[in-house]
Amino acid sequence: MAKLYISSFLLVIAACVCNINAVGAVGGVATTIEAHPYIVSLQDTNGSLVCGGVLIDTRTVVTTAQCLSFYDVTQLVVGVSNGARVVSIANSTFNLGFDFITMQNDVAVLILAEAVSVGTIALATEEPTNGVSGVVTTWDSSNNLVDIAVSIIGTQECGSGQYSYSEDDILATMLCGLATNTNDCGALPGSPLVSNNELVGLVSWGYGCGNNGRPAVFTDIASEESWIIQTASSL
Ligand SMILES: *[C@@H]1O[C@H](CO)[C@@H](O)[C@H](O)[C@H]1NC(C)=O
Ligand SMILES: *[C@@H]1O[C@H](CO)[C@@H](O)[C@H](O)[C@H]1NC(C)=O
């Protein structure tokens, strides 16, 4: 029953991703592309931001699987330097273990058609310690970058029943983050969660805002790191 509820909720999220840009994140703190040069956006043909992602080298972007499976990737381009430069996608794939009902393995890799030398971020190889702080960077309704401070909650703790989720909801490829400021809301899927200068998560799903005791759920990058490295070298 819980799963059914979640799956119909996720379909609502998927249906709404296209409109999220009209809303954008609220409550974040203004930041700059210079502070997060590795962040990129996935944009549709109309220039609307549909997802976030990050550069892990000059040609490779990591984002969520939902961004490629819910959109036609041939219609997407990558905005670098907060959209100042737009680059086409040469190749892409998402984790074939991605399941849009459970949202496990919500990770994808894109290869850019041109190399960009703006900055990269390292992938976490270990899940962050429960309780450490992190920052989600995403866009507000005017496409300005904002930071949302979160307290990271480990996979086990998040599914323990202490929050809104059970262990059947929070799988090994996920971790959680509770917004420190409970008014924060609305990050685009694929937006990065960074802690200690490493990419530890990507915005994946949640019951709404990721606050008020309902943590946002992220792809756990440490659990996908070997898939990312192997896949990037195969594309
Ligand atoms: C782009 O805008 C046109 C006109 O408003 C609309 O019909 C079309 O669906 C939009 N395309 C996307 C991918 O949002
Ligand atoms: C995309 O990657 C696949 C898988 O490695 C490869 O077979 C294919 O040739 C690549 N396509 C392009 C256009 O590089």
Side-chain angles (χ1 to χ4, degrees):
M1 194 59 195
K3 277 259 160 94
L4 283 176
Y5 173 72
I6 290 170
S7 68
S8 54
F9 178 80
L10 289 171
L11 292 172
V12 171
I13 293 185
C16 289
V17 163
C18 46
N19 294 324
I20 265 177
N21 190 50
V23 180
V26 296
V29 175
T31 185
T32 62
I33 188 67
E34 289 76 20
H36 307 280
Y38 50 81
I39 193 170
V40 299
S41 56
L42 302 192
Q43 308 180 2
D44 69 16
T45 45
N46 292 345
S48 297
L49 308 191
V50 297
C51 281
V54 297
L55 287 159
I56 58 165
D57 63 40
T58 57
R59 284 190 101 114
T60 309
V61 169
V62 177
T63 183
T64 46
Q66 62 182 291
C67 299
L68 301 195
S69 67
F70 297 159
Y71 291 94
D72 175 0
V73 69
T74 65
Q75 300 295 305
L76 296 177
V77 292
V78 175
V80 179
S81 301
N82 208 19
R85 182 167 173 194
V86 173
V87 181
S88 352
I89 297 169
N91 209 342
S92 66
T93 191
F94 57 87
N95 192 324
L96 295 178
F98 172 58
D99 180 332
F100 74 90
I101 305 292
T102 64
M103 298 302 274
Q104 75 178 332
N105 293 306
D106 193 8
V107 65
V109 168
L110 312 176
I111 305 298
L112 298 179
E114 305 157 43
V116 294
S117 305
V118 290
T120 60
I121 185 143
L123 299 170
T125 54
E126 284 176 26
E127 186 179 308
T129 311
N130 183 56
V132 303
S133 54
V135 171
V136 178
T137 304
T138 191
W139 292 266
D140 69 10
S141 57
S142 307
N143 291 351
N144 294 315
L145 287 167
V146 292
D147 282 342
I148 296 175
V150 300
S151 176
I152 295 173
I153 303 167
T155 309
Q156 280 195 333
E157 290 83 357
C158 192
S160 68
Q162 189 183 344
Y163 302 97
S164 322
Y165 309 112
S166 77
E167 62 185 7
D168 295 333
D169 302 322
I170 308 302
L171 305 176
T173 63
M174 304 173 189
L175 52 76
C176 300
L178 204 52
T180 313
N181 171 351
T182 56
N183 295 318
D184 290 345
C185 198
L188 277 184
S191 295
L193 166 62
V194 171
S195 182
N196 290 321
N197 298 316
E198 288 183 337
L199 180 74
V200 300
L202 295 170
V203 172
S204 179
W205 64 279
Y207 291 119
C209 282
N211 56 26
N212 291 324
R214 295 187 156 185
V217 185
F218 297 82
T219 307
D220 176 11
I221 289 298
S223 72
E224 302 285 3
E225 191 251 353
S226 59
W227 181 87
I228 293 169
I229 300 293
Q230 208 172 354
T231 303
S233 65
S234 77
L235 288 179

